[in-house]
Amino acid sequence: MGAEKAKKTAAPKGAPVKAKIGVISIITGQGAAYGEAITNGIKLARDEVNAKGEVLVDLKIEDSSGKQEQALAAAQKLINSEKVVAIIGPTLSNEMFAAGPEANASGVPIMGTSTTAKGIPQIGKFVFRNSMPESQAIPASVGAAVKKYNIRKVALLYGNDDAFTKSGFDTMKEVSEKLKLKILTIQEFQKGQADYKAQLTKIASLKPDAVFCSALYNEGGVILAQARKMGLKVPFVGGNGFNSPKVIDIAKDAAEGLIVATPWFGEKNDPKVKAFVAKYEKAYGKKPDQFAAQAYDAFYIMTNALKAAGAADRGKLRDALAATRNFQGVVGKFSFDAERDVVMTPSVLTVKNGKFAIFN
């Protein structure tokens, strides 16, 4: 499929830019909590933007169930049948590696709000993300933990069947080597695994100073709970999948002391953050997490670019998106670099008294 040939003319001055935007999210299946947060964040932003009247967006939401083939089918439907001007999503890096090339080949801008694996923007010039990659977040969390706890010996643990968790592990290993930490063991697991005692027993026997773990929140929460139950009390540094209150829900007290790096901190003393948290809680009865916040910002980045483009034109929108600099969102100040990747500063957080707090 080629790029859409019919170019839209710019809207008359003062008239709203009308656009159809596709969303690919996990609505059903494992990982649906990520998709729910992302979809909620997008809908909240959509309602605010439409109310202002400068851009009027019709959202077309498709469920990927967290599966590559379903994400690809959703992208094809949105591009060819719905004729969307752009796509937000999909949720997982694995899914983006399937859907991204399709959107890129079709000349449709696509923006991941939670895809942090290496190589996502490099899929092509129509592929963007506003989610901080592991390559930026993990060095910050590992560096802070090593400094505070004088960590010298580590164990690495990761899911080996997911691009996101594998990419997080690659960065953890690279950072460990750069800091000249002794890697005592590398243990692997698979998505959906329920029993980690074999891996944790091996890790505990080697007496590391810390465990660096790359996992999605379902597996991560269970790993923390089982590790603490087995008496493994050393600090855990988690990858991006741990940046969710769901980890605390699953691990309970075992989540205390978990260290992560994230651009999002919902307790920040910032009027924009406070307003977003209040609106989200009122709308959905719960606090927003990183995934909701990044999706909320992604919608604003997309619609700001639509205003700059002046029309629901895929090519003009791509160029306007690529020019985004110093966007001040609820997550922080954001820019795209020359490869359409993230430029921003992470915060290092720890779980304290059952919630995320600044790690000092």
Side-chain angles (χ1 to χ4, degrees):
M1 290 172 287
E4 187 183 48
K5 292 179 180 177
K7 299 293 185 186
K8 302 288 192 306
T9 55
K13 193 173 183 180
V17 177
K18 295 181 180 179
K20 199 185 286 186
I21 294 177
V23 176
I24 305 174
S25 192
I26 303 177
I27 308 298
T28 58
Q30 192 178 38
Y34 292 121
E36 180 187 14
I38 289 167
T39 310
N40 286 348
I42 291 171
K43 286 180 177 176
L44 190 62
R46 183 270 318 270
D47 291 346
E48 292 175 2
V49 167
N50 281 359
K52 291 175 185 171
E54 294 177 289
V55 178
L56 297 177
V57 174
D58 179 14
L59 282 182
K60 297 295 178 184
I61 300 174
E62 293 292 324
D63 180 17
S64 70
S65 292
K67 298 174 182 173
Q68 281 186 302
E69 63 276 15
Q70 205 160 317
L72 174 59
Q76 290 169 334
K77 179 181 177 184
L78 291 170
I79 293 166
N80 302 314
S81 300
E82 297 289 357
K83 308 289 185 189
V84 298
V85 69
I87 295 172
I88 298 176
T91 306
L92 303 178
S93 296
N94 274 351
E95 298 177 290
M96 184 59 100
F97 284 122
E102 184 75 12
N104 191 65
S106 302
V108 176
I110 185 168
M111 189 194 302
T113 70
S114 56
T115 50
T116 56
K118 280 184 179 177
I120 295 289
Q122 289 73 29
I123 291 171
K125 69 176 188 177
F126 281 83
V127 182
F128 297 77
R129 67 174 162 198
N130 76 324
S131 45
M132 180 176 286
E134 300 280 53
S135 59
Q136 290 184 31
I138 287 173
S141 55
V142 167
V146 166
K147 185 177 179 182
K148 176 160 184 171
Y149 296 114
N150 192 28
I151 293 166
R152 305 310 310 160
K153 304 173 296 179
V154 297
L156 305 186
L157 178 60
Y158 77 103
N160 64 3
D161 57 348
D162 179 87
F164 156 72
T165 50
K166 173 64 167 58
S167 178
F169 158 72
D170 288 342
T171 301
M172 287 175 171
K173 184 170 181 287
E174 186 179 316
V175 173
S176 298
E177 291 169 349
K178 189 174 180 181
L179 294 175
K180 301 188 183 309
L181 305 180
K182 186 174 183 180
I183 298 174
L184 299 175
T185 184
I186 296 172
Q187 296 290 310
E188 303 175 6
F189 62 85
Q190 295 185 330
K191 196 183 293 181
Q193 188 171 322
D195 187 345
Y196 302 89
K197 293 186 184 66
Q199 291 91 339
L200 294 170
T201 297
K202 175 68 175 178
I203 289 171
S205 72
L206 297 171
K207 301 187 184 309
D209 296 327
V211 178
F212 299 165
C213 183
S214 181
L216 295 168
Y217 69 79
N218 278 317
E219 291 81 5
V222 175
I223 287 169
L224 276 172
Q226 292 185 4
R228 299 314 188 202
K229 195 172 181 180
M230 292 170 63
L232 190 56
K233 302 297 186 187
V234 297
F236 263 71
V237 179
N240 201 42
F242 283 81
N243 290 339
S244 170
K246 287 286 182 184
V247 169
I248 304 171
D249 291 345
I250 295 168
K252 311 292 186 202
D253 290 347
E256 289 290 304
L258 169 69
I259 301 160
V260 298
T262 172
W264 165 247
F265 181 43
E267 304 296 324
K268 191 183 288 183
N269 188 24
D270 178 317
K272 196 177 185 80
V273 173
K274 288 179 181 294
F276 166 64
V277 171
K279 282 184 282 190
Y280 191 96
E281 269 193 293
K282 184 178 180 182
Y284 304 112
K286 63 179 79 171
K287 288 184 180 296
D289 62 11
Q290 170 194 332
F291 301 95
Q294 288 180 162
Y296 178 85
D297 276 357
F299 189 87
Y300 270 97
I301 291 169
M302 187 71 82
T303 51
N304 282 351
L306 268 171
K307 275 193 289 184
D313 178 278
R314 293 169 171 177
K316 289 180 180 176
L317 174 58
R318 191 223 80 90
D319 293 345
L321 272 175
T324 299
R325 299 288 184 274
N326 299 321
F327 167 77
Q328 191 65 51
V330 298
V331 173
K333 187 183 285 187
F334 174 88
S335 298
F336 284 119
D337 68 11
E339 288 199 307
R340 304 163 308 285
D341 211 344
V342 176
V343 179
M344 63 189 318
T345 304
S347 298
V348 180
L349 306 180
T350 188
V351 177
K352 188 175 182 181
N353 298 324
K355 62 181 183 181
F356 286 108
I358 293 291
F359 180 73
N360 295 311

